């Protein structure tokens, strides 16, 4: 096997951000809540609602916009944050004959 990992080819973590686990957890929660709202709000508004369609669209659209907007803002704020810096050694590959 030409591309198998050996013990000398392992990567080393040089730096890990102090808030790396917190920011990853916050991103996961935000993405999950956005997905649940995108799927759940239309389902909730279509079944068992006596509100007119225009009201359903206004409330549903506002709620979905708030959920996805907050997730986008969180991604924008945390995108320059370095969570971990890793040194990966250069692998020397031999051509197969």
């Amino acid at each position: 096997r030409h591309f198998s990992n050996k013990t000398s080819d392992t990567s080393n973590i040089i730096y890990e951000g102090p808030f790396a686990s917190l920011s990853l957890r916050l991103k996961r929660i935000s993405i999950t809540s956005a997905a649940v709202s995108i799927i759940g709000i239309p389902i909730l508004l279509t079944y068992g609602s006596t509100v007119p369609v225009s009201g359903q669209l206004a409330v549903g659209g506002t709620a979905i916009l708030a959920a996805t907007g907050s997730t986008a803002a969180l991604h924008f704020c945390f995108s320059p944050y370095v969570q971990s810096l890793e040194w990966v050694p250069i692998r020397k590959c031999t051509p197969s004959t």
Side-chain angles (χ1 to χ4, degrees):
R1 298 179 66 186
H2 294 288
F3 297 103
S4 63
N5 280 344
K6 298 175 185 170
T7 57
S8 63
D9 289 343
T10 59
S11 61
N12 297 325
I13 294 179
I14 297 172
Y15 171 78
E16 188 167 346
F19 300 112
S21 64
L22 178 67
S23 67
L24 284 174
R25 189 177 311 132
L26 190 59
K27 282 183 178 183
R28 288 179 186 139
I29 290 171
S30 181
I31 289 172
T32 303
S33 68
V36 167
S37 68
I38 288 172
I39 294 169
I41 289 174
I43 292 172
L44 288 175
L45 290 177
T46 55
Y47 294 112
S49 179
T50 58
V51 179
V53 175
S54 60
Q56 289 178 358
L57 289 175
V59 171
T62 303
I64 290 174
L65 182 67
T68 56
S70 64
T71 301
L74 183 71
H75 173 70
F76 177 76
C77 291
F78 277 106
S79 62
Y81 185 74
V82 176
Q83 302 197 2
S84 65
L85 189 61
E86 184 174 5
W87 182 76
V88 179
I90 298 173
R91 294 183 184 170
K92 294 182 180 179
C93 299
T94 58
S96 61
T97 57

